[in-house]
Amino acid sequence: IADLCAIVGPQVGVVLNVGVAHLGEFGDIATTARAKGELVESLPADGVAVLNADDPLVWAMRERTDARVVSFGTTPAADVVVSDTRVDAAGRPSFRLTWRATSAPVSLQLVGEHQIANAAAAATAGLACDVAFDRIVDALSHARPRSRWRMEVTTTRSGLTVVNDAYNANPDSTLAALRTLAGLGLGRPPGGPYGGGARRDARARSGQRGGTCRHRTRGSGARHLEARRGRRGCPSDSPRGVGR
C-alpha cells in the first residue's frame, strides 16, 4: 500500500475495517492492520483520513497519520453517525445519517446490512471533500450494484429466491451473506453495528451459521475442503461435497 501511495499520492484515504480476508497473505490480524495503516501514514498533512470508529483496529490508525481524521460509525462520538438501522423483507438496509446538525434517512437499494458501513464510509469521504449532504443522501439512496455476483438476488418464475454471492469469499463476507440470507423475508433490525458486531468470531462461526443452507464444493480440491469441514463439525453427506 505504501508503494502504491508513493505513486498516486492520495489526498483522502478510507479504511473500512480490518478483517480476515487477507490472512493468507499477512498471517494474522495485527499484520493486516499494520499494512492497511500504510494508507493513512501516506496522507499529507492537508489530507483527510476517513476511519471507522466502530472498529478498534481502524480507529487506532488515527495515531499514525498527520492528516485530518474524520470518523463514521454507530457511536455518537463519530463525526458521521449511523442510527436507526433496519433491513426490509428484500434484504435492503435503511438508516439515519447524521452529520453535525443535519440528519436524513437513507434507504439503500443494495442487499445486505453490511452495506451500511460501506455507505457510511462513502458518505464521510464525500463530506470530507465538501460534497453537499443532500446530494450524498440522494446518491446513496439511488446507488445500484456496479459489479456482478455480489449479493445478486433474483426470483425465479416458480417463486424461488436465489442469492448469488459467488464473486469472492472470506469468513467475514460469508457470515454477512448468511446473515442476509437468514433475514430475507423477515424485515428485521440487524443484530449489531452494521450486522457485524461479532466480526472477530466470524472465521470460527461462518460455517456454523448456515443451518438452513446447503453447501456444495466443486473442483479438484473439493474432497480436501470437505474433509476439513468434517473435522470442524460440518458434516458432508456425499463425496461431491454436499452437506447441511
Side-chain angles (χ1 to χ4, degrees), residues 1-230:
I1 292 176
D3 291 341
L4 292 174
C5 289
I7 297 171
V8 178
Q11 289 290 120
V12 178
V14 182
V15 185
L16 281 156
N17 58 57
V18 178
V20 300
H22 304 293
L23 287 184
E25 292 83 7
F26 296 114
D28 56 50
I29 292 289
T31 303
T32 302
R34 286 196 297 273
K36 286 196 171 188
E38 292 176 3
L39 173 59
V40 299
E41 289 177 342
S42 301
L43 296 172
D46 60 348
V48 180
V50 177
L51 302 179
N52 184 353
D54 290 331
D55 188 314
L57 292 175
V58 175
W59 188 230
M61 294 178 190
R62 70 191 186 280
E63 305 295 339
R64 298 170 58 182
T65 185
D66 294 326
R68 176 168 63 98
V69 173
V70 184
S71 62
F72 65 92
T74 58
T75 171
D79 297 301
V80 177
V81 179
V82 170
S83 60
D84 300 333
T85 58
R86 293 289 184 273
V87 180
D88 68 14
R92 295 169 302 195
S94 62
F95 58 95
R96 177 162 291 277
L97 190 70
T98 301
W99 163 252
R100 295 176 178 168
T102 306
S103 181
V106 176
S107 295
L108 299 179
Q109 303 304 307
L110 307 174
V111 175
E113 57 201 16
H114 56 282
Q115 297 287 3
I116 297 175
N118 298 331
T124 307
L127 291 165
C129 294
D130 298 322
V131 179
F133 183 82
D134 290 346
R135 182 180 177 187
I136 290 172
V137 169
D138 181 71
L140 290 177
S141 297
H142 291 89
R144 300 282 181 172
R146 302 300 296 270
S147 60
R148 298 185 59 195
W149 307 339
R150 296 177 187 263
M151 296 304 294
E152 284 186 349
V153 179
T154 56
T155 303
T156 67
R157 284 182 292 182
S158 64
L160 178 68
T161 298
V162 179
V163 181
N164 183 352
D165 194 42
Y167 179 86
N168 203 346
N170 63 69
D172 287 344
S173 66
T174 300
L175 178 57
L178 291 175
R179 285 178 58 88
T180 301
L181 178 62
L184 286 175
L186 298 181
R188 58 178 174 74
Y194 318 129
R199 183 155 48 83
R200 292 292 174 269
D201 297 326
R203 55 192 178 278
R205 304 199 324 266
S206 61
Q208 303 169 8
R209 292 292 294 273
T212 60
C213 301
R214 178 173 291 273
H215 303 276
R216 182 182 295 271
T217 56
R218 294 182 181 274
S220 60
R223 290 179 182 273
H224 300 289
L225 290 173
E226 285 304 309
R228 292 178 63 187
R229 284 207 316 123

